[in-house]
Amino acid sequence: MTAPRAVALALAISILGSLALVAIYVFGGSIQLQGIGLALALGGLGTAIVIWAVGLIEAPIEVEERHSFAAQEREASIAEGAADGEQISRRRFLSRLLAGAGAILTAALVLPAFSLGPQPGTDLFRTAWRRGMRLVDAGNQPLRPDDIVLDSVTTVFPEGFVGRPDTQTLLIKVRPSDLALPSGRDAWAPEGCIAYSKVCTHAGCPVGLYRAREHLLLCPCHQSTFDVLRGATPIFGPAARPLPQLPMEVDPEGYLVALGDFPEPIGPGFWDMTHIPADGG
Amino acid sequence: MLTWIDERLGLADWARAGLRKVFPDHWSFLLGEVALFCLVVLVLTGVFLTLFYVPDATTVTYSGPWLPLRGQTVSAAYDSVMRLSFEVRAGLVMRQIHHWAALVFVAAIVVHLLRIFFTGAFRRPREINWLIGIGLLLLALAMGITGYSLPDDLLSGTGLRVIYSVVIAIPFIGPYLAFLVFGGEFPTSEIISRLFVFHVMLLPALLIGGVLVHLAILVRQKHSQYAVPRATEHNVVGRAFWPSQAFKSTGLAILTAAVLALMGGLVQINPIWSYGPFDATTVSSPAQPDWYVGWLDGALRLFPPIEITALGVTIPSPFIPGVLLPGIAFGIMTLWPFLEAWVTGEHAEHQILDGPRQRPLRTAFGVAGLLVFVILTLAGGNDVVALIFGVPVEAMTNILRVAIVVVPLLGFGLTYRVCTEMRDARAGIGHPRMVRLRRTSAGGFEEDDPD
Ligand code: FES
């Protein structure tokens, strides 16, 4: 086999190895296969370069004088090289193949970066709130409307998920007659108890402050202000979306329970937030 | 002994040339050096901190000497920084020197960059070093942000959360990117150990490598210089590295360290025990980030509540102030040497620096950019500023919303005007000039040059 053929073959093996690596990463494969794939990819590339050096590069033997550093001088030698047209086009083809093999190998080597995190899937669209889940406070106590003091605010979670960041919800009690909720939501606030996601719709900070006299929720991060009586519409600051409201009712034992998850994604926005993926959940 | 080494390595000529290297003698050439010395202090103190820090989000019960936190659940990372601060001898002073050094490091880089900008030192042949410099600035910022977040306290956790929200606001790939970087939906237990790897391995390797290239290019190209007597486009006028510059720089290095030591010892910084450990359901207020990210927080605060949904696509409100604005700002900065050369049509080599007044347009643009930075930084602390001026936060925000548009424009116009007038006054255009004449020995008159 001629040297150029051998180089091309070795590069082809390298490319196949890299593609195999990609496939193994995407579809899963054993550690042995991963090792073999990587060895083929690197081995093919290395072999190609070595054959290239030995068989394709005409390098005359050169002599470089050694100087004592006591008397320093420089000498440069220029190597001569001549190549005919056919050699040039063959070399160009091999160079391209080499670059291609290098690029595919790089891609195969970068791929494991995807191990760093899961796919977002439905995580940004859904929280753990489900129909029938009781609202509990940080101490895991379920709550009855009568237990809640007027104009007070409590951070609540779905029972079994206390402390889970994306489920944190603010439970506030107001006079039912003061409420002016968007249409269709009147039933979501039994006895003036109303619940909003605590995750700011601007950049996700917990909306930590409640000005009871004005019924305003304030986010300390960038001062977005939400009107509790009007469905937590933002009235000041950079937040543009209301805090999602948790649909609620009172269960037969008198405890507050969720009617389902928040109707919209909670927290900060993202470009395809209106394309809720179907997940059957 | 030296001869013995030289006979084997042959470095004497090279060293002699190095020692004779001429440095322009102007204080503004030392700003970059200050940054370099801060980096040395950062590495030294950082190594010490690394020996005690535990990059682990696992929760433990705090049982150290700080009574208010006794019995609280904290992360092992937070616990280790508490131990470092209260129980490790010399731990707190190392931590505070490290933090102050980081702030001064970025500040020195920025001031150095401004010097380069306003004197036109980025022009041909120095465009490559300008680009490397911008890269170093970005790395320094990344170092600052990752380091700031390592203690896993409430304040830095809030900062991370905002960063996460900005990342998911990147068009379409945002959520994927955020999940890769953070390891899932914020907050995750992975992030602390990842930040640690970035802060102590990847970023420092890039930063130190970049600094070495930056310096090598500087030596190769030689310094630019101001138009001092005898300076031309083909020489460097100044003092030799040895002994004058070497002594000055050594002194400056030690003095930089001294100032940082003084700040670290006397001025409290980042008291994580008063912020408390990170908790996803609470937030500290007021939350002030380190100075160099305040402008981004300010942009997030000032941007009006606009979130457009059209054609099934939502543009999240943090996108423009959090993604687009810094993208444009750093984009303009990066490309400035090329933009300027393209606009002015000037592609010649420049070794002699401009005075800011000689380039009204560049100077005015720089001033406007600085004003944007200052106002956004003020906006980042708008609650504090409002408190100082005794106005409601809402009013303060509205004032700043107007100011961010008006003030930089005014600054631009004013600077342009002042620079042109100064330049023209120098050149004697537009104004009658007082001239002193002198009788020459030949009987004629000649102008007596006051310069
Ligand atoms: S995160 Fe709430 S206002 Fe920005």
Side-chain angles (χ1 to χ4, degrees), chain A residues 233-247:
Chain A
T233 5
I235 57 161
F236 182 77
R241 254 175 309 122
L243 299 169
Q245 187 180 348
L246 186 75

PDB file of all heavy atoms in Angstrom, chain A residues 233-247:
ATOM      1  N   THR A 233     -50.718  41.317  40.009  1.00  0.00           N
ATOM      2  CA  THR A 233     -50.188  42.006  38.824  1.00  0.00           C
ATOM      3  C   THR A 233     -49.062  42.914  39.271  1.00  0.00           C
ATOM      4  O   THR A 233     -49.150  43.549  40.305  1.00  0.00           O
ATOM      5  CB  THR A 233     -51.244  42.918  38.162  1.00  0.00           C
ATOM      6  OG1 THR A 233     -52.392  42.893  38.982  1.00  0.00           O
ATOM      7  CG2 THR A 233     -51.547  42.506  36.769  1.00  0.00           C
ATOM      8  N   PRO A 234     -48.013  42.979  38.455  1.00  0.00           N
ATOM      9  CA  PRO A 234     -46.913  43.871  38.818  1.00  0.00           C
ATOM     10  C   PRO A 234     -47.323  45.326  38.619  1.00  0.00           C
ATOM     11  O   PRO A 234     -47.921  45.664  37.599  1.00  0.00           O
ATOM     12  CB  PRO A 234     -45.794  43.480  37.848  1.00  0.00           C
ATOM     13  CG  PRO A 234     -46.462  42.795  36.719  1.00  0.00           C
ATOM     14  CD  PRO A 234     -47.730  42.211  37.238  1.00  0.00           C
ATOM     15  N   ILE A 235     -47.037  46.169  39.619  1.00  0.00           N
ATOM     16  CA  ILE A 235     -47.379  47.588  39.458  1.00  0.00           C
ATOM     17  C   ILE A 235     -46.143  48.465  39.480  1.00  0.00           C
ATOM     18  O   ILE A 235     -46.205  49.644  39.181  1.00  0.00           O
ATOM     19  CB  ILE A 235     -48.364  48.074  40.550  1.00  0.00           C
ATOM     20  CG1 ILE A 235     -47.782  47.824  41.939  1.00  0.00           C
ATOM     21  CG2 ILE A 235     -49.712  47.415  40.400  1.00  0.00           C
ATOM     22  CD1 ILE A 235     -48.451  48.670  42.997  1.00  0.00           C
ATOM     23  N   PHE A 236     -44.988  47.895  39.844  1.00  0.00           N
ATOM     24  CA  PHE A 236     -43.756  48.679  39.789  1.00  0.00           C
ATOM     25  C   PHE A 236     -42.569  47.734  39.651  1.00  0.00           C
ATOM     26  O   PHE A 236     -42.644  46.570  40.046  1.00  0.00           O
ATOM     27  CB  PHE A 236     -43.593  49.546  41.048  1.00  0.00           C
ATOM     28  CG  PHE A 236     -42.349  50.388  40.975  1.00  0.00           C
ATOM     29  CD1 PHE A 236     -42.307  51.534  40.199  1.00  0.00           C
ATOM     30  CD2 PHE A 236     -41.194  50.001  41.652  1.00  0.00           C
ATOM     31  CE1 PHE A 236     -41.141  52.279  40.096  1.00  0.00           C
ATOM     32  CE2 PHE A 236     -40.029  50.758  41.551  1.00  0.00           C
ATOM     33  CZ  PHE A 236     -40.007  51.898  40.780  1.00  0.00           C
ATOM     34  N   GLY A 237     -41.491  48.256  39.095  1.00  0.00           N
ATOM     35  CA  GLY A 237     -40.274  47.456  38.988  1.00  0.00           C
ATOM     36  C   GLY A 237     -40.202  46.708  37.680  1.00  0.00           C
ATOM     37  O   GLY A 237     -41.069  46.855  36.822  1.00  0.00           O
ATOM     38  N   PRO A 238     -39.163  45.892  37.516  1.00  0.00           N
ATOM     39  CA  PRO A 238     -38.908  45.277  36.214  1.00  0.00           C
ATOM     40  C   PRO A 238     -39.726  44.015  35.914  1.00  0.00           C
ATOM     41  O   PRO A 238     -39.729  43.565  34.781  1.00  0.00           O
ATOM     42  CB  PRO A 238     -37.419  44.940  36.274  1.00  0.00           C
ATOM     43  CG  PRO A 238     -37.115  44.777  37.720  1.00  0.00           C
ATOM     44  CD  PRO A 238     -38.058  45.665  38.466  1.00  0.00           C
ATOM     45  N   ALA A 239     -40.411  43.445  36.894  1.00  0.00           N
ATOM     46  CA  ALA A 239     -41.187  42.240  36.613  1.00  0.00           C
ATOM     47  C   ALA A 239     -42.372  42.601  35.729  1.00  0.00           C
ATOM     48  O   ALA A 239     -43.045  43.597  35.959  1.00  0.00           O
ATOM     49  CB  ALA A 239     -41.662  41.588  37.899  1.00  0.00           C
ATOM     50  N   ALA A 240     -42.635  41.785  34.705  1.00  0.00           N
ATOM     51  CA  ALA A 240     -43.688  42.114  33.762  1.00  0.00           C
ATOM     52  C   ALA A 240     -44.880  41.169  33.871  1.00  0.00           C
ATOM     53  O   ALA A 240     -45.951  41.453  33.355  1.00  0.00           O
ATOM     54  CB  ALA A 240     -43.144  42.081  32.337  1.00  0.00           C
ATOM     55  N   ARG A 241     -44.697  40.028  34.539  1.00  0.00           N
ATOM     56  CA  ARG A 241     -45.770  39.046  34.629  1.00  0.00           C
ATOM     57  C   ARG A 241     -46.259  38.952  36.063  1.00  0.00           C
ATOM     58  O   ARG A 241     -45.466  39.061  36.998  1.00  0.00           O
ATOM     59  CB  ARG A 241     -45.243  37.670  34.207  1.00  0.00           C
ATOM     60  CG  ARG A 241     -45.703  37.192  32.841  1.00  0.00           C
ATOM     61  CD  ARG A 241     -45.014  35.890  32.478  1.00  0.00           C
ATOM     62  NE  ARG A 241     -43.579  35.977  32.627  1.00  0.00           N
ATOM     63  CZ  ARG A 241     -42.861  35.187  33.410  1.00  0.00           C
ATOM     64  NH1 ARG A 241     -43.442  34.243  34.118  1.00  0.00           N
ATOM     65  NH2 ARG A 241     -41.552  35.332  33.488  1.00  0.00           N
ATOM     66  N   PRO A 242     -47.558  38.693  36.271  1.00  0.00           N
ATOM     67  CA  PRO A 242     -48.037  38.472  37.635  1.00  0.00           C
ATOM     68  C   PRO A 242     -47.400  37.216  38.225  1.00  0.00           C
ATOM     69  O   PRO A 242     -46.965  36.325  37.499  1.00  0.00           O
ATOM     70  CB  PRO A 242     -49.545  38.265  37.453  1.00  0.00           C
ATOM     71  CG  PRO A 242     -49.864  38.630  36.069  1.00  0.00           C
ATOM     72  CD  PRO A 242     -48.610  38.564  35.268  1.00  0.00           C
ATOM     73  N   LEU A 243     -47.353  37.144  39.544  1.00  0.00           N
ATOM     74  CA  LEU A 243     -46.956  35.897  40.188  1.00  0.00           C
ATOM     75  C   LEU A 243     -48.074  34.891  39.926  1.00  0.00           C
ATOM     76  O   LEU A 243     -49.250  35.205  40.136  1.00  0.00           O
ATOM     77  CB  LEU A 243     -46.805  36.100  41.696  1.00  0.00           C
ATOM     78  CG  LEU A 243     -45.745  37.109  42.142  1.00  0.00           C
ATOM     79  CD1 LEU A 243     -45.893  37.407  43.633  1.00  0.00           C
ATOM     80  CD2 LEU A 243     -44.354  36.599  41.836  1.00  0.00           C
ATOM     81  N   PRO A 244     -47.744  33.694  39.435  1.00  0.00           N
ATOM     82  CA  PRO A 244     -48.809  32.717  39.183  1.00  0.00           C
ATOM     83  C   PRO A 244     -49.586  32.414  40.460  1.00  0.00           C
ATOM     84  O   PRO A 244     -49.007  32.313  41.542  1.00  0.00           O
ATOM     85  CB  PRO A 244     -48.036  31.494  38.688  1.00  0.00           C
ATOM     86  CG  PRO A 244     -46.769  32.026  38.137  1.00  0.00           C
ATOM     87  CD  PRO A 244     -46.428  33.207  38.986  1.00  0.00           C
ATOM     88  N   GLN A 245     -50.918  32.277  40.300  1.00  0.00           N
ATOM     89  CA  GLN A 245     -51.760  32.025  41.466  1.00  0.00           C
ATOM     90  C   GLN A 245     -52.038  30.534  41.583  1.00  0.00           C
ATOM     91  O   GLN A 245     -52.290  29.852  40.581  1.00  0.00           O
ATOM     92  CB  GLN A 245     -53.074  32.792  41.328  1.00  0.00           C
ATOM     93  CG  GLN A 245     -53.936  32.709  42.577  1.00  0.00           C
ATOM     94  CD  GLN A 245     -55.247  33.460  42.443  1.00  0.00           C
ATOM     95  OE1 GLN A 245     -55.424  34.234  41.499  1.00  0.00           O
ATOM     96  NE2 GLN A 245     -56.153  33.216  43.362  1.00  0.00           N
ATOM     97  N   LEU A 246     -51.958  30.038  42.830  1.00  0.00           N
ATOM     98  CA  LEU A 246     -52.222  28.616  43.057  1.00  0.00           C
ATOM     99  C   LEU A 246     -53.722  28.413  43.257  1.00  0.00           C
ATOM    100  O   LEU A 246     -54.314  29.008  44.162  1.00  0.00           O
ATOM    101  CB  LEU A 246     -51.469  28.124  44.300  1.00  0.00           C
ATOM    102  CG  LEU A 246     -51.563  26.625  44.560  1.00  0.00           C
ATOM    103  CD1 LEU A 246     -50.679  25.859  43.591  1.00  0.00           C
ATOM    104  CD2 LEU A 246     -51.162  26.288  45.992  1.00  0.00           C
ATOM    105  N   PRO A 247     -54.362  27.587  42.414  1.00  0.00           N
ATOM    106  CA  PRO A 247     -55.788  27.320  42.639  1.00  0.00           C
ATOM    107  C   PRO A 247     -55.967  26.499  43.909  1.00  0.00           C
ATOM    108  O   PRO A 247     -55.260  25.512  44.113  1.00  0.00           O
ATOM    109  CB  PRO A 247     -56.202  26.523  41.397  1.00  0.00           C
ATOM    110  CG  PRO A 247     -54.953  26.106  40.712  1.00  0.00           C
ATOM    111  CD  PRO A 247     -53.817  26.890  41.243  1.00  0.00           C
TER     112      PRO A 247
END
